Amino acid sequence: MTTTLELLAPFSGPAIALDRVPDPVFAGRMMGDGLAIDPLSPTLLAPCSGAVAQLARTGHALTIAADNGAEVLIHIGIDTVTLEGRGFRPLVAVGDRVRAGQPLIEVDLDAVARQAPSLQTMVVIANSDQFHFPRRAEGLLEAGRSHFLTLAARGAVSPRESAGGPERRGEAVVRHEGGLHARPSALAQQAAKRHAAEVFIELSGKRANARSVVALMGLGVAEGDRVAVIASGHDADAALAAVIEALQTRSEAGHAAAAPAEAREPVAGYLAGVAAAPGLAIGQCLDHGSQRRAWRSGGWSDWTPSRCRCRNRARALRKSGPRWRRR
């Protein structure tokens, strides 16, 4: 089994560094290290071969257990768990064997973009502490063809093992909006990792290691579910209390409202405006308002907006809109 894995682009679109993602859990690599992409194609493709280890009940995220042991978590959009599956149509199920480039989820990009803060899709390695990343893609990528991310194992990739020692048990009612989706799972994972103990969460006969975001998401825990928490090891008592607190401290699925755009003084020769949402702006920029007229020697002359091909980020358009030209 090779220890190096080459991931292909899961969507067509521009690659985005993980620390630029507008979600502190992903940007802070609490879910693991990786790379993001702004999707311009409607179907999520498998970035590598492997088995589907987890599929969110809302269809917005899944995990592939790659052949080299990597847990490749793909999360489509920001706060898309709140859509309750609207705009997502999974084409695979847990346990399915998939090949690189195979369609996994169909996404109604227009519908999701209208209801979610961002379409940016994160591809993170949930057990990234066992890998390093010698190469990350940049620029515009083609789904299923372009290189996306290279990861190489630091050593033999091993599954998580029990810590042993005294065992403590407790219960928690999950208060997070939307249940244990990506962000709450990462918070529970961080609480477990701070202690020298192994923590498991049980629901309906299924058990997940609290140190694994993939395993936690795979439980399918909904808001209001009562789960059992089992801790063992030297810090079992402290770990039990910390994980229960993380599960029962409510968090909202959505982000805080964005700050209002700063008003700017109009600048002669520029179109004013603000970006409606972060993302990629492609196409012709035209002012469909009435033409302006200006006096020049010999009489009046029309002013018309120039056409511009813009492949910069939307925020670039905030700084410099298309210039007016005279004809």
Side-chain angles (χ1 to χ4, degrees):
M1 179 180 67
T2 180
T3 57
T4 301
L5 181 64
E6 301 281 348
L7 300 185
L8 300 177
F11 285 112
S12 295
I16 302 170
L18 208 57
D19 55 11
R20 295 179 58 192
V21 169
D23 185 309
V25 170
F26 285 104
R29 290 171 170 77
M30 292 175 63
M31 301 286 294
D33 202 353
L35 191 64
I37 188 168
D38 210 347
L40 298 177
S41 56
T43 304
L44 174 71
L45 304 184
C48 63
S49 298
V52 179
Q54 173 267 333
L55 174 64
R57 59 183 176 81
T58 51
H60 73 286
L62 60 71
T63 302
I64 297 175
D67 295 335
N68 74 335
E71 298 174 348
V72 184
L73 170 62
I74 309 170
H75 192 285
I76 305 172
I78 302 294
D79 295 336
T80 41
V81 66
T82 61
L83 302 184
E84 292 293 335
R86 296 187 302 276
F88 301 97
R89 189 169 78 89
L91 306 175
V92 294
V94 173
D96 285 358
R97 179 78 187 174
V98 298
R99 66 186 185 279
Q102 178 178 333
L104 301 176
I105 300 174
E106 289 183 351
V107 186
D108 186 336
L109 295 180
D110 185 62
V112 174
R114 290 172 183 271
Q115 301 176 76
S118 174
L119 281 171
Q120 289 182 11
T121 295
M122 289 63 65
V123 179
V124 299
I125 309 305
N127 55 343
S128 59
D129 55 332
Q130 301 188 59
F131 296 89
H132 65 95
F133 303 84
R135 185 182 172 204
R136 302 172 196 257
E138 297 180 351
L140 197 62
L141 309 179
E142 183 180 355
R145 293 182 177 273
S146 301
H147 166 269
F148 188 69
L149 185 67
T150 301
L151 51 148
R154 299 181 185 276
V157 179
S158 57
R160 298 171 176 85
E161 298 178 355
S162 174
E167 183 177 278
R168 301 289 184 267
R169 286 179 171 266
E171 286 189 342
V173 176
V174 176
R175 303 295 187 189
H176 298 281
E177 183 182 3
L180 285 186
H181 52 94
R183 193 178 303 116
S185 296
L187 296 175
Q189 178 201 54
Q190 293 300 309
K193 282 185 172 182
R194 287 195 293 267
H195 302 279
E198 206 66 53
V199 184
F200 292 89
I201 296 174
E202 291 183 347
L203 175 71
S204 302
K206 295 194 296 183
R207 169 181 280 209
N209 191 320
R211 291 173 177 258
S212 169
V213 169
V214 173
L216 291 177
M217 294 174 65
L219 284 177
V221 178
E223 180 182 355
D225 281 351
R226 184 178 296 273
V227 299
V229 184
I230 304 98
S232 61
H234 179 70
D235 290 338
D237 289 326
L240 181 69
V243 172
I244 289 177
E245 181 181 3
L247 293 173
Q248 297 194 146
T249 302
R250 180 173 176 79
S251 68
E252 304 295 332
H255 280 52
E262 178 184 355
R264 298 190 179 186
E265 292 294 328
V267 178
Y270 287 84
L271 292 175
V274 297
L280 189 70
I282 300 177
Q284 293 182 340
C285 303
L286 296 174
D287 178 13
H288 294 286
S290 59
Q291 292 182 331
R292 296 184 178 183
R293 298 179 64 82
W295 175 261
R296 56 184 301 185
S297 60
W300 288 94
S301 173
D302 291 336
W303 287 59
T304 61
S306 64
R307 299 186 176 203
C308 65
R309 291 283 183 180
C310 178
R311 290 183 179 270
N312 295 321
R313 288 273 162 201
R315 61 175 172 273
L317 293 178
R318 273 203 305 268
K319 298 178 181 177
S320 58
R323 291 180 180 272
W324 293 91
R325 70 180 180 192
R326 203 181 321 198
R327 74 175 184 184

